[in-house]
Amino acid sequence: MRKKIGLALVGALAVTGAVIAYNTATFEPAGLADASDVRLAGPIEPDANAAAQRLGAAIRFQTISNQDPARNRMEEWSGFQAWLQTTYPAAHKAMQREIVGQASLLYRWQGSDPSLQPIILMGHQDVVPVTPGTEKDWRHPPFAGVVADGAVWGRGAIDDKGSLIALFEGLELLAASGFKPKRTIIVVSGHDEEVGGTGAQAAAARLKAEGVKALFTLDEGSAIITDAPIVNGPAIMIAVAEKGYATLRVTARAPGGHSSMPPAEIGTVTLAKAITAIHADQFPTRLDQPAFGTVQALAAEKGGFMKVVAANPWLFGGLIKSQMAGTPAGAAQLHTTIAPTMLQGSPKENVLPQDAFGLVNYRLAPWDRSADIMARAKAAVGDLPVEFSWEREPREASPVSSTTSQGWKLVRAAAEAEAPGAPVAPFMVVGGTDSRYLKEVSQDTYRFQAMRLSTKETAMIHGTNEHISVDNLARMIRFFTRLVATAAG
């Protein structure tokens, strides 16, 4: 009997080994098209130093989006938009321009063939504030637009005036060269992306009313990461989705009264129990798209044991998830996250609260919906006497865009020209971009900036000493000229 069991075990191991070996030998990232059939147009080489000076000038317009819109200085937007018209005359002559929403821009460069789907290119005008008291920590004043040490310094250099100016630089070069598009080019530049994106919503509504269905939309959101995980080197990370956003208000009501005579159950204690229960009941991790697509693409490039693991998720799926979940950034790719962020009780230390509430922020994975969040939170707290409501209308996760479509191939081809030999991987943005509003007027939506950044350098976005190298600015300009000339030429 033992001999039979031993033989059976040896046979099972042999079969398992054969399956692993076969899967590894034949492994290719699933559903990830290359761009070999794209005839990529050559770039128009920019004057990068002159472009850097113009980006510096753009940064000096303090188009700061505040949470309280009454604090916004809308004359800064008016000045910036007038400057764009003066600075890029050929592009503005070629395109029709209109203002939608309060101060968002919608441009159309009409193509000669109306049967071709248009493309939509995006870059927002507004920037986040500089945290008061940190101005002295900046190497150069945050709104001086200084060009020094091979870089342009200032708030918005990367997020997102760098992209917007690179786009206009590219369009200006093409228009001045006599380029005539066959495919219509649409440019959407929101004025309030940092505080919700009402301008992008207005642009989307206008395009939807006109029956627009673009081949693809391209916005900010990812880059050429120089120290990408798994490969520990450069990788072109093209985001094909972004997570949703929802904030749940949890309220515990109580009689209130004086703190010298507290009842057995106090509202703040009930609230604490509820918040703790909600946070403890984390959404399970899933090895699904686009996160698994990221692993597959990078593991195929890395080879060795990583390729074995990615080729055999039936055996190593748990290992992949545990490794990714080892960092907050990796874990965020695998599930809907739960983050209690605000608590409020009594307005005075010796008064029992009548209403205690907490806010729980969720970032929704593509496979979850806001209804799932509400149901899970209610189940987690059980019979605790708390009430639930949305702080504002939840935003569902975006659809996951194709990695085999013509739009994917066009973006990939233009990106690969700026990072030859680097692997290309799909990715998911855990934050939000204006592109989320264009999903109904676009076949696919991608989020990518053709700049080379390390993971450490991405920390300066919304932070201190934000800057973009002149080399990266040149990369983005070349990328846009190639992409537009290839897609619309």
Side-chain angles (χ1 to χ4, degrees), residues 5 19 34 37 57 74 90 95-96 156 170 190 218 237 257 304 324 333-334 351 368 376 379 408:
I5 293 173
V19 170
D34 63 30
D37 61 346
M74 297 312 298
M95 298 188 293
Q96 297 172 314
L218 179 69
M237 311 291 283
M324 289 187 68
Q333 294 286 319
L334 299 175
V351 175
D368 288 323
R376 194 176 188 90
W408 164 265

Side-chain angles (χ1 to χ4, degrees), residues 228-311:
I230 299 177
V231 294
N232 299 317
I236 300 167
M237 311 291 283
I238 301 175
V240 296
E242 64 181 62
K243 298 184 90 172
Y245 186 103
T247 299
L248 187 64
R249 177 181 282 252
V250 185
T251 303
R253 305 200 185 277
H258 201 285
S259 64
S260 62
M261 298 175 288
E265 189 70 12
I266 302 172
T268 49
V269 176
T270 301
L271 176 65
K273 291 177 180 178
I275 295 293
T276 300
I278 290 169
H279 184 258
D281 189 25
Q282 293 287 322
F283 281 79
T285 57
R286 283 176 52 169
L287 197 59
D288 210 330
Q289 300 299 340
F292 188 46
T294 306
V295 172
Q296 287 182 308
L298 298 181
E301 174 70 15
K302 180 70 172 178
F305 180 66
M306 286 307 305
K307 185 175 180 180
V308 174
V309 169

Side-chain angles (χ1 to χ4, degrees), residues 66-74 102:
N66 295 284
Q67 287 303 124
D68 178 4
R71 296 179 58 198
N72 294 347
R73 296 161 53 190
M74 297 312 298
Q102 185 179 15

Side-chain angles (χ1 to χ4, degrees), residues 352-486:
L352 298 174
Q354 291 182 300
D355 295 297
F357 74 86
L359 299 183
V360 185
N361 185 247
Y362 295 81
R363 302 301 174 101
L364 285 70
W367 48 86
D368 288 323
R369 293 291 178 264
S370 55
D372 302 323
I373 288 174
M374 183 67 79
R376 194 176 188 90
K378 288 180 177 179
V381 304
D383 58 0
L384 285 172
V386 293
E387 301 169 6
F388 298 93
S389 61
W390 295 118
E391 187 68 1
R392 62 186 65 83
E393 186 70 21
R395 186 181 76 238
E396 308 295 346
S398 78
V400 179
S401 291
S402 173
T403 55
T404 61
S405 65
Q406 186 64 15
W408 164 265
K409 293 178 182 179
L410 288 164
V411 174
R412 174 172 182 159
E416 286 181 307
E418 293 303 323
V424 179
F427 186 66
M428 179 166 62
V429 174
V430 296
T433 70
D434 265 349
S435 68
R436 62 185 178 268
Y437 299 117
L438 280 293
K439 63 183 180 182
E440 293 187 28
V441 296
S442 188
Q443 180 177 318
D444 288 303
T445 302
Y446 303 106
R447 303 149 188 90
F448 176 75
Q449 294 159 288
M451 62 179 76
R452 297 173 69 98
L453 294 174
S454 68
T455 51
K456 181 179 180 180
E457 286 173 322
T458 62
M460 67 179 163
I461 301 171
H462 287 197
T464 298
N465 283 322
E466 184 179 353
H467 64 279
I468 183 172
S469 71
V470 176
D471 286 345
N472 269 333
L473 181 59
R475 283 188 188 94
M476 289 201 293
I477 297 169
R478 288 194 302 265
F479 168 81
F480 280 123
T481 61
R482 275 195 177 102
L483 179 63
V484 171
T486 304

